[in-house]
Amino acid sequence: MIRAGLDVGSGSCKMVVARMNADGTAVEAELHAEYVECLVAHDYKSRDDGTLSMEIVAKLLGILAGFRAKANSIGGDGVQMKGVATQIFRIAKNGQDVLQRIAHESNIHISVIPQSQEGELGFLTGAALAPETARTDLVVWDSGGASFQLSATAGSGKEPLVFQGALGSSIVTADMVNLVQGRQFRDNPSPNPVSRDQAQRLAQHLQPLVGAPPEWLTRQLQNEGVVVVGIGEQTSVFYIGQLATGKAAYTSAEVRAAMDSLYGLSDEQLARFPQPTMVLPKLVLLHTVMEVLGMRTVLCRLSTGICQGVLLHSQFWQP
């Protein structure tokens, strides 16, 4: 059978089309994967009424219509398509209305899922990307445009536990502009050039918002054999960390050293990175969470959002 799993996130829309085994419990072959930038959280943070604009809704509809056409071209008109929507659709006043319109116009059912389930899907995705690591040794970190989740079985081998926060790339970029630089994000979407002092002030603002880690997470991160896998596409904080440090696995000290070389640079000077306007805020978020949680190393693994988890989670494919 062929399925298309979608992740409609706060910063991009993602889709994986895959051939599944007979009972739908494993991916036999990934037939197509893509992501398209759609800065829904940027749009939300640029408005004062708590809604998503008609312009961003139109962009979403266009992207998902394209996804539907591509999936149909691979699996036929009857291909199963299911997806999840994350943080911004949980908090935007018109989030549910937007998803109902998508269902009506594109015939794609997108479910708004709680952040705890987002973490579970992230764990399924990370486990599929790191088969060499025992699940009991694994921590999966998923960080998007408006939220982050760290998930682990905490040595039990059972369903993952999830630590979550309401910080993401668009949120911290808006905070850099609005709170640290004293400008209006809707008029100034780029904080560049960012100074060392501004980065430090953003980090100080973020530290209490990350929150104290639960005991199970602290214990897991202190285990000698733990592997922390950061998942996401080429715009994720983890891949930006990889580009900045030159390493797929890096420490918080290496992230801090990489930031030192990027202060004072313009959008044009940061153009080697995806989404240059968010490079420093992303690295500040990455470094701050690592420091607050006492994380030794993060390993970046590229993924198409949490689409793998959507494909593998039986809840979304019940008849």
Side-chain angles (χ1 to χ4, degrees):
M1 78 180 79
I2 294 177
R3 288 176 177 170
L6 282 69
D7 172 3
V8 182
S10 301
S12 63
C13 297
K14 287 83 67 176
M15 178 179 72
V16 171
V17 183
R19 180 180 296 110
M20 309 296 294
N21 66 354
D23 61 2
T25 58
V27 173
E28 291 185 343
E30 188 174 292
L31 305 175
H32 177 76
E34 69 176 294
Y35 73 94
V36 180
E37 179 181 280
C38 190
L39 298 177
V40 183
H42 263 54
D43 180 82
Y44 177 84
K45 291 293 288 185
S46 299
R47 295 169 61 80
D48 298 323
D49 62 358
T51 67
L52 303 177
S53 69
M54 290 301 100
E55 291 79 11
I56 204 72
V57 171
K59 185 172 184 178
L60 275 169
L61 287 166
I63 292 169
L64 293 171
F67 281 3
R68 162 57 76 183
K70 185 64 179 181
N72 286 354
S73 73
I74 296 170
D77 291 346
V79 66
Q80 291 180 294
M81 295 187 73
K82 299 290 178 65
V84 297
T86 55
Q87 177 70 356
I88 285 301
F89 296 92
R90 290 191 285 262
I91 62 177
K93 292 178 181 177
N94 61 339
Q96 285 285 358
D97 293 338
V98 171
L99 297 178
Q100 288 174 5
R101 185 173 170 189
I102 289 169
H104 176 71
E105 297 190 17
S106 300
N107 193 27
I108 303 173
H109 180 70
I110 308 291
S111 303
V112 178
I113 56 172
Q115 200 170 354
S116 57
Q117 188 172 31
E118 191 177 351
E120 294 173 16
L121 296 176
F123 188 83
L124 285 173
T125 300
L129 294 171
E132 72 283 0
T133 302
R135 288 195 172 205
T136 51
D137 292 331
L138 185 65
V139 175
V140 177
W141 182 3
D142 178 19
S143 186
S147 64
F148 70 86
Q149 299 77 228
L150 288 102
S151 50
T153 61
S156 69
K158 299 178 182 178
E159 292 299 310
L161 302 171
V162 179
F163 173 64
Q164 60 198 43
L167 295 172
S169 301
S170 290
I171 302 300
V172 299
T173 302
D175 285 350
M176 173 68 87
V177 174
N178 291 334
L179 304 180
V180 175
Q181 297 179 337
R183 300 184 294 156
Q184 290 294 317
F185 182 59
R186 62 174 169 266
D187 302 320
N188 302 277
S190 175
N192 293 324
V194 172
S195 69
R196 183 193 307 272
D197 175 68
Q198 289 170 344
Q200 290 173 343
R201 285 161 56 198
L202 178 62
Q204 291 168 358
H205 166 69
L206 298 180
Q207 285 165 3
L209 300 179
V210 172
E215 182 181 348
W216 64 263
L217 181 57
T218 299
R219 187 171 59 249
Q220 182 82 345
L221 291 172
Q222 290 174 346
N223 287 344
E224 198 61 37
V226 69
V227 177
V228 180
V229 174
I231 61 170
E233 55 276 7
Q234 286 90 341
T235 56
S236 70
V237 297
F238 311 110
Y239 191 66
I240 299 303
Q242 177 173 324
L243 291 177
T245 63
K247 297 180 176 182
Y250 42 80
T251 65
S252 63
E254 289 168 332
V255 175
R256 184 176 63 248
M259 286 193 291
D260 287 341
S261 67
L262 302 176
Y263 295 133
L265 300 185
S266 66
D267 291 349
E268 292 74 18
Q269 291 170 310
L270 291 168
R272 70 183 179 93
F273 293 93
Q275 298 178 331
T277 62
M278 292 191 271
V279 170
L280 264 301
K282 286 179 181 179
L283 292 174
V284 171
L285 175 61
L286 176 65
H287 181 262
T288 301
V289 174
M290 292 182 75
E291 287 285 298
V292 170
L293 301 185
M295 204 177 291
R296 291 190 292 267
T297 306
V298 174
L299 171 64
C300 174
R301 285 286 168 89
L302 286 173
S303 72
T304 312
I306 55 175
C307 293
Q308 280 268 4
V310 175
L311 288 168
L312 293 168
H313 201 298
S314 60
Q315 170 191 326
F316 301 109
W317 307 99
Q318 299 295 332

